[in-house]
Amino acid sequence: MIYLDNAATTIMYSDVADMMRDYQTKSYYNSNSPYTSARMVNKELEGARESLRKCIGADDGQLLFTSCGSEGNSLVVLGTALFYLSRHEECHIITSSIEHHSILGATDAAKKYGAKVTYLDVDEYGVVDAEQLKRSLNSNTRLVSIMMANNELGTIEPIGRLCEIVKGYDDKIIFHTDAVQAFPRLSIDVDELGLDMLTVSGHKFGGPKGVGFLWCKDITRLDNIIYGGSQEFGKRGGTHNTSCIIGMAKAACLTMESKKQIGNAIKELADFFISQVTSEIDGVRINSPICQGRGYCLDNIINLSFDDVDGERLVAMLDHDGIMCSRASACEDSSMNLSHVLKAIGLSDKRIKESIRISLGVDNTKDELIEVLNVLKHRVELIRKMQ
Ligand code: PLP
């Protein structure tokens, strides 16, 4: 089996899995309980918080543990909207048309409560229109949320520049970025970028599923969406998922340690795959801006279309051959829904239907890609003959 769906989720580091087992079966105590063993667990948990904070260069603010990236994003949008609307103040939110469904779904929900939302356009590479952002800001704008890297295309947004525009207009506007695909692949320094909030998910970099974090420079303008105990500075109730939190911090450290090495290896694999697939198979179109160079696109996400080949059928055939890849995002898997991201960059419905997403990870090898290329060549020819 060859796994090429690392943007959907990643294999957990075995060291992380071993460590987590101990926190499930030995140090399983509730971190808020009033005895020594629990206090020791709490200390480990706070250690995890500190090490994650260092990974994003955050000298201050609060890092809240969440259950996933979707929760972090929902908390930012709904928590901000509820804060302002419940005080009878207007709430205008700006985001982009290519965000993950956790942002788009939360903005839809916020609209039901009375928030106004502007969705920014992107260019043919998926880059957000900075001029439109400037024009969209107004005195009721409370939140701007733009993803750091897109999950379908890999496009890296110019977050520092966008944040500068927003802060230049009004320093009080909250600037949030969804860094679920970007962290820890890209070097992130929240202070240097001028960010107010940043979302991360644990299962995208060798950590466990069901955990993430939201870093906030200031949580005072965020209402709860989960109530309960006083955990997470009173902003997110719920007994700590200690094993996952500690596992996530360990996975982040392991990835940071070998980041350069992993990054170079993946870049080499991606370059090899793209040069081979475009030279060996006719009618291939690379939809990701990966060929535009570093800093424009993540190296691990390759979205491509094969002329006159139904993407859904191709993915099913590859699955049959033991190769796992996907269409758009794992959250947009219905054949009825055309990818909102590919639509936003202006692709025709036909080309969107012909698209697949290959996302590379630390464990992929050149030999695997050679095998994938052979299978792809065969399957693409077969589908073209059948159609
Ligand atoms: N944001 C982006 C950009 C994503 O790619 C994903 C998941 O694929 C999420 C948010 C949601 O993360 P989670 O699966 O942890 O809810």
Side-chain angles (χ1 to χ4, degrees), residues 199-215:
T199 302
V200 165
S201 172
H203 69 105
K204 305 288 188 183
F205 49 89
K209 293 169 190 51
V211 71
F213 70 81
L214 171 68
W215 171 80

Side-chain angles (χ1 to χ4, degrees), residues 87-105:
R87 285 163 180 78
H88 306 289
E89 289 184 54
E90 298 281 330
C91 180
H92 173 232
I93 298 170
I94 301 177
T95 188
S96 83
S97 53
I98 61 162
E99 298 295 311
H100 185 261
H101 284 292
S102 49
I103 289 287
L104 298 177

Side-chain angles (χ1 to χ4, degrees), residues 7-8 68-70 73 100 102 147 149 151 178 180-181 201 203-204:
C68 57
S70 300
N73 285 344
H100 185 261
S102 49
M147 69 201 322
N151 47 309
D178 170 356
V180 167
Q181 292 292 339
S201 172
H203 69 105
K204 305 288 188 183

Side-chain angles (χ1 to χ4, degrees), residues 145-219:
S145 178
I146 307 291
M147 69 201 322
M148 192 167 278
N150 181 266
N151 47 309
E152 293 188 38
L153 290 168
T155 306
I156 299 171
E157 300 296 343
I159 291 299
R161 170 83 191 109
L162 298 176
C163 189
E164 207 175 275
I165 291 173
V166 172
K167 296 294 173 181
Y169 180 85
D170 181 353
D171 193 36
K172 286 197 293 300
I173 299 174
I174 298 166
F175 194 101
H176 164 254
T177 190
D178 170 356
V180 167
Q181 292 292 339
F183 178 87
R185 284 184 191 90
L186 303 180
S187 299
I188 299 176
D189 186 317
V190 290
D191 292 340
E192 215 172 275
L193 289 168
L195 299 174
D196 296 302
M197 294 186 187
L198 172 130
T199 302
V200 165
S201 172
H203 69 105
K204 305 288 188 183
F205 49 89
K209 293 169 190 51
V211 71
F213 70 81
L214 171 68
W215 171 80
C216 302
K217 195 171 181 180
D218 172 15
I219 51 170

Side-chain angles (χ1 to χ4, degrees), residues 233-249:
F233 317 98
K235 287 289 167 189
R236 197 268 184 191
T239 302
H240 286 123
N241 184 356
T242 318
S243 65
C244 284
I245 291 169
I246 291 170
M248 167 171 65

Side-chain angles (χ1 to χ4, degrees), residues 101-378:
H101 284 292
S102 49
I103 289 287
L104 298 177
T107 51
D108 278 347
K111 280 197 273 188
K112 288 188 205 155
Y113 296 115
K116 303 268 184 310
V117 183
T118 302
Y119 300 94
L120 300 178
D121 298 328
V122 295
D123 67 12
E124 72 263 43
Y125 301 121
V127 179
V128 164
D129 185 339
E131 290 307 312
Q132 193 189 4
L133 169 62
K134 276 186 202 163
R135 290 195 303 273
S136 304
L137 291 162
N138 67 47
S139 57
N140 293 325
T141 308
R142 311 297 183 189
L143 170 70
V144 176
S145 178
I146 307 291
M147 69 201 322
M148 192 167 278
N150 181 266
N151 47 309
E152 293 188 38
L153 290 168
T155 306
I156 299 171
E157 300 296 343
I159 291 299
R161 170 83 191 109
L162 298 176
C163 189
E164 207 175 275
I165 291 173
V166 172
K167 296 294 173 181
Y169 180 85
D170 181 353
D171 193 36
K172 286 197 293 300
I173 299 174
I174 298 166
F175 194 101
H176 164 254
T177 190
D178 170 356
V180 167
Q181 292 292 339
F183 178 87
R185 284 184 191 90
L186 303 180
S187 299
I188 299 176
D189 186 317
V190 290
D191 292 340
E192 215 172 275
L193 289 168
L195 299 174
D196 296 302
M197 294 186 187
L198 172 130
T199 302
V200 165
S201 172
H203 69 105
K204 305 288 188 183
F205 49 89
K209 293 169 190 51
V211 71
F213 70 81
L214 171 68
W215 171 80
C216 302
K217 195 171 181 180
D218 172 15
I219 51 170
T220 53
R221 288 179 291 152
L222 199 60
D223 270 10
N224 289 42
I225 60 168
I226 297 181
Y227 290 89
S230 59
Q231 293 95 344
E232 304 313 288
F233 317 98
K235 287 289 167 189
R236 197 268 184 191
T239 302
H240 286 123
N241 184 356
T242 318
S243 65
C244 284
I245 291 169
I246 291 170
M248 167 171 65
K250 171 91 179 165
C253 291
L254 289 173
T255 310
M256 297 287 276
E257 271 164 30
S258 48
K259 194 163 126 175
K260 203 162 174 208
Q261 212 179 319
I262 296 172
N264 289 341
I266 288 181
K267 163 124 182 73
E268 214 170 288
L269 287 177
D271 287 348
F272 170 74
F273 180 80
I274 290 171
S275 75
Q276 292 299 303
V277 79
T278 48
S279 61
E280 297 285 315
I281 304 178
D282 289 336
V284 178
R285 294 159 195 272
I286 306 295
N287 302 322
S288 297
I290 197 158
C291 304
Q292 304 302 314
R294 279 221 154 142
Y296 222 106
C297 186
L298 296 177
D299 290 321
N300 63 321
I301 298 182
I302 308 165
N303 191 305
L304 68 170
S305 299
F306 297 88
D307 287 353
D308 305 319
V309 174
D310 180 66
E312 204 180 341
R313 185 178 272 190
L314 181 59
V315 166
M317 284 190 174
L318 293 175
D319 181 29
H320 182 266
D321 297 328
I323 297 166
M324 293 171 267
C325 66
S326 63
R327 301 277 330 278
S329 100
C331 313
E332 194 159 23
D333 57 359
S334 156
S335 56
M336 302 300 286
N337 288 335
L338 289 183
S339 156
H340 67 289
V341 176
L342 300 186
K343 266 190 184 172
I345 63 169
L347 298 194
S348 65
D349 287 2
K350 178 177 182 293
R351 187 157 153 196
I352 297 174
K353 285 184 191 142
E354 293 166 347
S355 69
I356 66 170
R357 180 187 69 179
I358 283 177
S359 47
L360 304 168
V362 276
D363 288 341
N364 290 128
T365 63
K366 193 169 172 182
D367 284 347
E368 282 183 337
L369 293 187
I370 292 171
E371 195 183 326
V372 171
L373 286 158
N374 286 333
V375 173
L376 261 177
K377 207 169 166 182
H378 168 66

